[in-house]
């Protein structure tokens, strides 16, 4: 029998935490993810069923829902990334699919993405070095897709002055982490 040990996207057994001055970068390791795409002709049924899952309307373009137990990020017309705590929603895609039925295509995304939370009073200068997102114009609940270190990433704003979540491709977690910590060291 195999004796396997789970590892984080950065290859550790615990989340990586880096701190420079007043900003902390924390690797997210407890997030289950599923993508939802409304099927043609079933967009309204999908939105209604997704509202039942989220207990709120699905976010519009450029927005994110940062509630609990589910979060959601708008990814495109009638498309969202849904997130939840991995410990209680390891089978998130199946849970969402059970409610949405044939109104949407739901795909497991947990191991396709890595995430980093940036927190602290000096997050804005770090983000200004990291990507071309106008972080000073963002408000809580805003989200956008951008390029960070040549990687397609989502930037989700909890509080533009002190909390940002970045989701990027798990296969490039090391490169993304390096870009973030380099920007932290340069900006602070």
């Amino acid at each position: 029998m195999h004796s396997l040990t789970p590892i984080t996207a950065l290859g550790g057994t615990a989340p990586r935490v880096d701190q420079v001055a007043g900003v902390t970068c924390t690797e997210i390791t407890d997030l289950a993810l599923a993508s939802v795409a409304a099927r043609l002709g079933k967009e309204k049924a999908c939105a209604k069923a997704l509202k039942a899952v989220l207990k709120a309307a699905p976010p519009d373009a450029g927005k994110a829902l940062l509630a609990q137990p589910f979060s959601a990020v708008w990814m495109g017309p009638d498309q969202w990334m849904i997130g939840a705590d991995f410990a209680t929603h390891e089978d998130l895609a199946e849970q969402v699919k059970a409610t949405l039925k044939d109104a949407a295509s739901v795909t497991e995304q947990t191991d396709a993405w890595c995430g980093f939370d940036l927190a602290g009073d000096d997050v804005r200068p770090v983000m200004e070095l990291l990507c071309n997102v106008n972080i000073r114009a963002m408000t809580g609940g805003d989200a956008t897709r951008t390029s960070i270190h040549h990687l397609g990433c989502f930037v989700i704003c909890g509080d533009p002055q002190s909390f940002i979540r970045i989701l990027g491709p798990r296969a490039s977690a090391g490169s993304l982490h390096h870009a973030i910590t380099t920007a932290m060291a340069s900006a602070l």
Side-chain angles (χ1 to χ4, degrees):
M1 181 154 169
H2 298 287
S3 177
L4 304 175
T5 302
I7 60 171
T8 70
L10 292 176
T13 56
R16 173 89 180 257
V17 178
D18 296 280
Q19 187 163 14
V20 176
V23 175
T24 302
C25 173
T26 305
E27 180 183 15
I28 304 166
T29 60
D30 60 352
L31 184 64
L33 294 169
S35 65
V36 172
R39 292 188 177 158
L40 187 61
K42 298 192 178 192
E43 296 85 356
K44 288 183 181 178
C46 175
K48 183 178 179 182
L50 193 54
K51 183 176 182 178
V53 171
L54 300 173
K55 308 290 188 252
D60 289 328
K63 295 294 182 182
L65 175 66
L66 304 172
Q68 290 295 328
F70 298 102
S71 61
V73 179
W74 183 86
M75 294 175 56
D78 301 307
Q79 299 175 40
W80 300 270
M81 181 78 75
I82 309 302
D85 182 43
F86 185 81
T88 55
H89 296 86
E90 182 177 357
D91 61 343
L92 177 63
E94 290 300 319
Q95 293 175 18
V96 172
K97 182 65 179 165
T99 301
L100 299 181
K101 299 185 181 2
D102 67 345
S105 296
V106 180
T107 307
E108 171 64 43
Q109 295 290 325
T110 303
D111 288 332
W113 296 85
C114 66
F116 298 95
D117 284 340
L118 293 177
D121 291 336
D122 294 322
V123 167
R124 285 197 274 188
V126 173
M127 292 303 297
E128 288 169 343
L129 284 179
L130 200 54
C131 61
N132 65 351
V133 172
N134 184 357
I135 196 70
R136 293 182 189 273
M138 292 181 88
T139 60
D142 284 350
T144 190
R145 189 159 193 169
T146 189
S147 178
I148 298 177
H149 204 62
H150 304 289
L151 303 169
C153 297
F154 287 97
V155 173
I156 304 160
C157 182
D159 177 339
Q161 295 179 12
S162 63
F163 179 77
I164 301 292
R165 173 165 284 180
I166 298 171
L167 296 177
R170 185 180 177 102
S172 301
S175 294
L176 181 56
H177 177 259
H178 172 74
I180 293 168
T181 56
T182 299
M184 288 169 61
S186 297
L188 308 172

